[in-house]
Amino acid sequence: MSENHDFDLIIIGAGSGGVRLARTSAQKGAKVAVVESRYLGGTCVNVGCVPKKLFVYGAHVRDDLEDAGGYGWSIPTEDVTFDWPTLVANKNAEIERLNGIYGRMLENAGVTIIEGTASIVDPHTVAVGDNQYSTKHITVATGSWPVVPDIPGKECLLTSNEMFYLPQLPKHAVVWGGGYIAVEFAGILAGLGVETTLLYRGDLFLRGFDGDVRRFAEQEIRKKGIDLRFNVTINSIESDNAYYKVNLSDGATLETGLVMAATGRRPLVDGLGLENVGVELNNSGHIVVDEHFQTAVPSISALGDVIGTPQLTPVALAQAMVLTRRLFGDGQGEMDYSSIPTAVFCQPNIGTVGLTEEEAREAGYSLRIYRSEFRPMKYTLSGRDERCLMKLVVDDKTDKVLGAHMVGPDAGEITQGLAVAIKAGATKEQFDATLGIHPTSAEEFVTMREPVA
């Protein structure tokens, strides 16, 4: 390949989707380069899923220590201390290890790594610094970036990017937002001993999730001591060196040591030169592509967060596989965005796959709803006041399970298995015929017999 060009494919962005596309394309014989200005692995590895999950593990240790007494372990609380810099340093070491793995994977696949900021000169040329590279295909996989609201005092706001590198934890923190990032970080901070307030402009956080899940999660998260305030937003922030004064839309004020904005993400297309070559953006700033990830320019494609599909690493990975086949394979395959499983690593966790009850009713289904609430077995001896929710949304006419939702320990792990069944079109009868693993929380999904609605 690449008879008339330096490369067959240049990928701008070495995040999850870009790295997968590079490796799989190179394995098919293409000459591939990846341009990256920050870090290998993108948001997920560096300032997203991976370090977030490590922080969640760290934040949950306090609960485990408190529960130990119910199982006969005596842990003097006065001897238990937490050192934030140690957690950050250990996290950094793990991320550095993963960066190295990504680099070696690309090098072993024969991919050229170009460090720097890329811009598109024309449909077949990419500039990086003073160098220009010709290529048959260009793929934009630059991801997304946190949005900082334009309010007085916005320079005081931190985003998820900075939260992973805080030099120290404050005594009190305000988290502004109602999506999964806001809810997860509120849980992390509270679990690590920070007095935490979460502010959200809507009636209830986690918009788009099942209504029962949202309401149940609210109850359980409040038990963690997090101050949840809805129908309120931040008007302005004032800095007084030692603390921040946060002025709210309801007239109240908060004094805090940290304000985190988790108020959305925007596609990262700055400086790419897309306007120079005719690549179209939609009203939200995302790159417009067809079902084959092709832009308005035949030689330029895009995938991942930058095109506005669900902002999940497995989605970008799957898109990369489809695009590889189109560019260098048999051209077959397409993305299926139905029944994408996902998890929110708040405390307790949320796991969900398929349709919510609200989505199913809006689609016109006649439903049977199965729901169970109980205390997880682990907490029967420790006495922890934490409950678990499990829910199945079933099409009454076909008996097909349309959605499964959970709030409770290991919800993400359990939901991954359920996703296979729902993707395969399993019916409630098949769920009922499946033997449970006893004693587990997961068995509840195959033992719910009586519909509640």
Side-chain angles (χ1 to χ4, degrees):
M1 298 187 187
S2 64
E3 295 177 1
N4 302 315
H5 298 287
D6 298 322
F7 296 98
D8 297 307
L9 171 65
I10 292 180
I11 302 162
I12 304 175
S16 300
V19 169
R20 175 64 61 87
L21 177 63
R23 291 176 60 212
T24 53
S25 297
Q27 288 167 357
K28 290 185 176 295
K31 188 176 182 182
V32 181
V34 171
V35 185
E36 177 54 57
S37 62
R38 289 189 180 87
Y39 29 55
L40 298 179
T43 295
C44 177
V45 169
N46 294 276
V47 288
C49 325
V50 174
K52 177 268 306 287
K53 188 75 179 291
L54 294 175
F55 280 6
V56 169
Y57 284 139
H60 203 272
V61 170
R62 187 174 71 170
D63 285 357
D64 293 336
L65 292 173
E66 291 174 353
D67 291 341
Y71 289 90
W73 290 90
S74 178
I75 301 177
T77 55
E78 64 271 14
D79 295 335
V80 176
T81 61
F82 168 69
D83 185 62
W84 168 254
T86 297
L87 175 58
V88 173
N90 289 343
K91 180 270 299 180
N92 290 345
E94 173 61 10
I95 300 310
E96 185 176 343
R97 185 185 73 86
L98 294 175
N99 289 153
I101 290 174
Y102 270 72
R104 288 190 293 275
M105 286 193 303
L106 290 171
E107 291 170 357
N108 292 339
V111 176
T112 299
I113 302 173
I114 302 173
E115 295 183 7
T117 301
S119 62
I120 300 173
V121 178
D122 62 46
H124 295 284
T125 307
V126 173
V128 183
D130 296 330
N131 299 315
Q132 291 194 356
Y133 305 90
S134 65
T135 179
K136 183 176 181 181
H137 302 286
I138 299 170
T139 296
V140 180
T142 46
S144 59
W145 203 250
V147 171
V148 177
D150 188 13
I151 62 168
K154 66 180 181 181
E155 66 277 3
C156 302
L157 291 168
L158 300 181
T159 70
S160 53
N161 289 348
E162 295 80 41
M163 292 295 291
F164 290 110
Y165 298 96
L166 284 178
Q168 60 186 15
L169 288 179
K171 292 182 178 180
H172 181 275
V174 171
V175 179
W176 183 17
Y180 70 94
I181 296 175
V183 174
E184 288 173 337
F185 265 101
I188 289 168
L189 290 166
L192 296 177
V194 178
E195 185 182 345
T196 305
T197 299
L198 185 145
L199 309 172
Y200 179 52
R201 65 183 179 180
D203 293 335
L204 187 60
F205 54 26
L206 297 174
R207 183 167 55 90
F209 284 79
D210 186 89
D212 281 336
V213 166
R214 299 171 71 195
R215 290 184 289 270
F216 191 86
E218 177 197 3
Q219 296 171 12
E220 295 304 310
I221 288 173
R222 286 191 189 278
K223 293 177 184 178
K224 300 293 184 180
I226 298 174
D227 179 14
L228 301 178
R229 302 193 190 188
F230 300 126
N231 296 306
V232 66
T233 191
I234 297 177
N235 285 343
S236 64
I237 305 172
E238 302 170 42
S239 176
D240 190 21
N241 293 324
Y243 63 90
Y244 299 106
K245 180 181 178 183
V246 182
N247 301 304
L248 306 182
S249 58
D250 61 2
T253 61
L254 291 171
E255 290 187 0
T256 187
L258 179 153
V259 188
M260 174 191 175
T263 46
R265 298 178 66 88
R266 63 176 180 84
L268 192 56
V269 296
D270 310 359
L272 287 176
L274 300 179
E275 65 282 355
N276 300 332
V277 291
V279 172
E280 298 176 3
L281 305 180
N282 61 20
N283 292 335
S284 60
H286 292 94
I287 296 176
V288 177
V289 297
D290 63 14
E291 66 273 18
H292 303 297
F293 307 107
Q294 182 175 304
T295 71
V297 181
S299 62
I300 301 177
S301 55
L303 57 75
D305 291 3
V306 79
I307 65 173
T309 46
Q311 296 186 27
L312 300 167
T313 293
V315 170
L317 296 176
Q319 291 173 340
M321 300 301 292
V322 171
L323 184 54
T324 299
R325 292 180 66 179
R326 181 174 77 79
L327 295 178
F328 305 110
D330 57 13
Q332 303 299 308
E334 59 183 28
M335 275 297 297
D336 179 5
Y337 295 102
S338 65
S339 299
I340 297 174
T342 190
V344 183
F345 293 104
C346 51
Q347 300 177 48
N349 295 174
I350 296 171
T352 181
V353 60
L355 297 181
T356 67
E357 179 179 347
E358 293 78 11
E359 289 170 338
R361 294 197 187 282
E362 187 175 342
Y365 288 100
S366 177
L367 300 178
R368 298 196 312 274
I369 302 297
Y370 296 83
R371 186 170 58 241
S372 177
E373 296 181 19
F374 56 94
R375 175 187 280 185
M377 185 178 181
K378 178 180 179 180
Y379 302 137
T380 56
L381 295 190
S382 69
R384 177 168 299 279
D385 183 17
E386 182 177 308
R387 296 182 64 77
C388 181
L389 167 72
M390 294 184 176
K391 179 176 181 178
L392 292 176
V393 179
V394 179
D395 179 8
D396 191 47
K397 293 182 180 179
T398 65
D399 199 44
K400 183 178 178 179
V401 179
L402 302 175
H405 310 279
M406 176 179 174
V407 183
D410 300 316
E413 306 289 346
I414 293 171
T415 301
Q416 180 66 81
L418 294 174
V420 178
I422 290 178
K423 196 70 174 179
T427 63
K428 183 61 169 66
E429 182 180 11
Q430 290 169 326
F431 268 63
D432 293 344
T434 301
L435 297 181
I437 300 173
H438 186 73
T440 64
S441 292
E443 69 178 314
E444 195 75 10
F445 273 115
V446 297
T447 58
M448 289 187 280
R449 295 291 185 263
E450 297 299 323
V452 298

